[in-house]
DNA sequence: CACTTGACCTGTCCGC
DNA sequence: TGCGGACAGGTCAAGT
C-alpha cells in the first residue's frame, strides 16, 4: 500500500531511469486506469521526453518536454516498474525482484520508449490511475492537499495548526486525511502514534503540545527510516526496478498484533479506528475515558 | 458542517 | 477440495 516512503522510493528510482527517454508508444487496457483523451496522448505524450520525476503527497508526476505531466496514483496495489530488456545482466545478478516477466495480468498501461525500454503500470485492483494533464493545471490538483511532512518548513507548530482544523476527530483519522497532512497512510499513522505514545482514538483537541511535538518527531523518524529501507512491502509494493522494500522488518506495531511491544513487552493489539485496522500497545498508548471520540 | 461509512476492485485466507 | 465470505486500505462520494 504505497504511502509517502514507497512513492518517494519509486520517484527516486524513476528519476534515475527515465529522464532523457522519449516516448514511442502507449498501450492501455481501460480508460479508468488511463485518464487521457486519445488526441492528447498523440499530441503531448507520444514523442515527448521525460524531463524529471517528482512527487506530491502519494502522487508521482512524470514531467514531459511537451509541457504536460503524467500524474500517477498507485492507490492500493499499483506498481510502476521500469524494464530495459535490451540490457543483459551477467550471471549472478541479484534477483530480488518481486515481479516476474512483464506484462502480466495486472498490467494496465505500458509506455514504450524509443530506445526499447518500457515502463509498466501494474495494478491488481484497478484503484490506481494515470492521468495526462497540462503542467499548468497541477496547482489546482494539489490545492487542497496538506503540507509535505519532510519539507524543512514542516515544524511541530505546522502540524499542530493543521491538526487543529479538525479538533473533534480522532488523531488517527486526522493523520490519514490528506487535506491535513500529505503522504501518511495506515502503516505510518500506526507507527508514528506508537512512537509518540498516543492512542489512535485520542481526540485531536485533547492532545497536549508535548504530545504533538512527540508526534512530529516520531512521524519524521518513521518516514525517513522507511525511505532508507526502500519502503514497506506487504504484498504488492515494489520500487521502480521491481524490488521489495524492507521497512516492515523494522516496524514496531504494524501487523505485529499478539507480539510483545518493543518498548514495554505488553502484548500488542489490533483494533479498528477510523474504519481502519489499527495496531497499538495498550500500555504505552493509554486512552483515558475523557479523551476518546464519543 | 463535520465526520463516518460505502464503493471501487481482486487476490488471499479462513472456516465449514 | 470447493465455496462463500471477510479482509486488505487510498480516496472520493454518499450518508448520518
Amino acid at each position: 500500500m504505497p504511502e509517502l516512503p514507497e512513492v518517494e522510493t519509486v520517484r527516486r528510482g524513476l528519476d534515475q531511469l527515465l529522464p532523457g527517454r522519449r516516448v514511442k508508444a502507449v498501450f492501455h487496457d481501460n480508460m479508468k486506469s488511463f485518464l487521457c483523451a486519445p488526441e492528447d496522448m498523440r499530441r503531448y505524450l507520444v514523442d515527448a521526453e521525460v524531463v524529471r520525476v517528482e512527487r506530491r503527497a502519494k502522487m508521482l508526476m512524470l514531467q514531459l518536454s511537451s509541457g504536460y505531466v503524467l500524474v500517477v496514483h498507485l492507490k492500493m496495489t499499483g506498481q510502476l516498474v521500469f524494464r530495459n530488456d535490451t540490457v543483459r545482466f551477467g550471471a549472478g545478478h541479484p534477483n530480488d525482484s518481486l515481479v516476474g516477466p512483464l506484462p502480466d495480468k495486472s498490467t494496465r498501461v505500458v509506455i514504450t520508449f524509443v530506445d526499447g525500454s518500457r515502463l509498466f503500470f501494474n495494478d491488481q485492483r484497478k484503484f490506481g490511475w494515470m492521468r495526462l494533464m497540462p503542467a499548468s493545471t497541477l496547482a489546482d490538483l494539489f490545492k487542497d492537499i496538506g503540507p509535505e511532512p519532510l519539507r524543512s518548513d514542516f515544524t511541530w507548530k505546522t502540524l499542530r495548526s493543521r491538526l487543529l482544523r479538525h479538533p473533534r476527530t480522532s488523531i488517527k483519522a486526522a493523520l490519514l486525511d490528506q487535506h491535513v497532512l500529505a503522504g501518511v497512510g495506515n502503516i505510518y499513522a500506526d507507527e508514528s502514534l506508537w512512537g509518540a505514545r498516543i492512542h489512535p482514538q485520542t481526540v485531536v483537541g485533547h492532545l497536549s503540545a508535548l504530545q504533538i511535538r512527540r508526534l512530529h518527531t516520531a512521524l519524521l523518524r518513521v518516514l525517513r527510516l522507511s525511505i532508507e529501507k526502500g519502503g514497506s512491502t506487504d504484498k504488492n509494493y515494489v520500487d521502480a526496478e521491481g524490488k521489495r522494500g524492507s521497512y516492515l522488518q523494522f516496524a514496531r506495531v504494524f501487523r505485529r498484533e499478539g507480539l510483545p511491544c518493543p518498548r514495554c513487552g505488553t502484548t500488542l493489539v489490533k483494533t479498528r479506528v477510523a474504519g481502519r485496522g489499527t495496531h497499538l500497545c495498550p500500555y504505552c498508548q493509554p486512552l483515558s475515558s475523557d479523551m476518546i471520540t464519543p
Side-chain angles (χ1 to χ4, degrees):
Chain A
M1 47 238 71
E3 305 179 29
L4 188 152
E6 290 75 32
V7 179
E8 177 61 20
T9 300
V10 174
R11 186 202 69 77
R12 291 181 185 189
L14 292 179
D15 200 44
Q16 293 297 309
L17 295 164
L18 296 186
R21 298 190 200 268
R22 188 170 297 277
V23 175
K24 182 181 176 191
V26 181
F27 155 86
H28 59 90
D29 77 337
N30 69 71
M31 294 315 288
K32 188 176 166 296
S33 297
F34 190 72
L35 307 166
C36 170
E39 62 270 26
D40 281 354
M41 184 175 89
R42 281 193 301 272
R43 274 191 179 176
Y44 304 111
L45 183 55
V46 174
D47 268 353
E49 201 171 277
V50 179
V51 176
R52 65 179 166 276
V53 183
E54 297 178 336
R55 178 189 62 77
R56 176 77 172 100
K58 298 171 188 171
M59 282 172 276
L60 285 162
M61 288 92 71
L62 277 59
Q63 304 278 357
L64 303 168
S65 56
S66 60
Y68 271 59
V69 181
L70 195 57
V71 184
V72 188
H73 200 308
L74 301 174
K75 290 287 182 89
M76 301 293 303
T77 54
Q79 305 173 330
L80 267 186
V81 180
F82 178 82
R83 286 281 167 89
N84 191 353
D85 298 334
T86 61
V87 174
R88 282 281 162 83
F89 295 114
H93 178 78
N95 185 13
D96 47 0
S97 178
L98 188 66
V99 289
L102 293 175
D104 63 22
K105 59 194 277 193
S106 75
T107 299
R108 309 293 165 208
V109 184
V110 183
I111 297 177
T112 304
F113 296 99
V114 169
D115 63 6
S117 59
R118 290 180 292 177
L119 181 66
F120 296 89
F121 174 41
N122 301 328
D123 187 12
Q124 200 173 78
R125 289 168 68 177
K126 302 182 185 175
F127 286 5
W129 46 261
M130 265 187 173
R131 180 176 166 191
L132 184 67
M133 51 196 293
S136 57
T137 61
L138 277 184
D140 197 56
L141 181 65
F142 301 147
K143 68 179 177 359
D144 293 325
I145 294 182
E148 287 291 328
L150 293 183
R151 282 185 50 139
S152 57
D153 55 358
F154 181 76
T155 64
W156 78 272
K157 288 184 177 176
T158 312
L159 177 61
R160 179 179 61 183
S161 71
R162 300 296 301 189
L163 288 175
L164 288 178
R165 292 179 172 207
H166 305 273
R168 298 171 59 83
T169 193
S170 68
I171 182 60
K172 172 133 183 184
L175 283 177
L176 294 175
D177 186 344
Q178 300 301 296
H179 305 102
V180 171
L181 181 65
V184 177
N186 208 37
I187 298 174
Y188 304 106
D190 284 4
E191 290 295 307
S192 57
L193 287 168
W194 178 88
R197 282 169 275 149
I198 297 169
H199 193 289
Q201 222 160 61
T202 311
V203 171
V204 167
H206 288 157
L207 289 170
S208 66
L210 176 63
Q211 286 178 306
I212 294 177
R213 292 175 79 138
R214 288 205 309 248
L215 182 56
H216 176 263
T217 303
L219 203 47
L220 298 195
R221 183 173 298 159
V222 161
L223 293 175
R224 287 184 178 134
L225 175 63
S226 183
I227 291 174
E228 195 179 303
K229 301 301 175 190
S232 300
T233 296
D234 181 30
K235 287 191 176 70
N236 283 273
Y237 166 73
V238 291
D239 70 11
E241 297 177 90
K243 294 178 190 159
R244 349 175 24 110
S246 65
Y247 176 81
L248 284 187
Q249 294 172 24
F250 302 85
R252 307 295 204 159
V253 287
F254 190 80
R255 295 279 159 80
R256 296 181 59 80
E257 62 271 24
L259 296 170
C261 170
R263 198 160 43 207
C264 74
T266 303
T267 301
L268 299 171
V269 300
K270 181 175 181 180
T271 62
R272 212 159 179 86
V273 178
R276 307 282 169 197
T278 297
H279 312 75
L280 63 101
C281 171
Y283 182 81
C284 291
Q285 297 167 268
L287 184 64
S288 44
S289 58
D290 63 330
M291 286 168 62
I292 63 170
T293 45

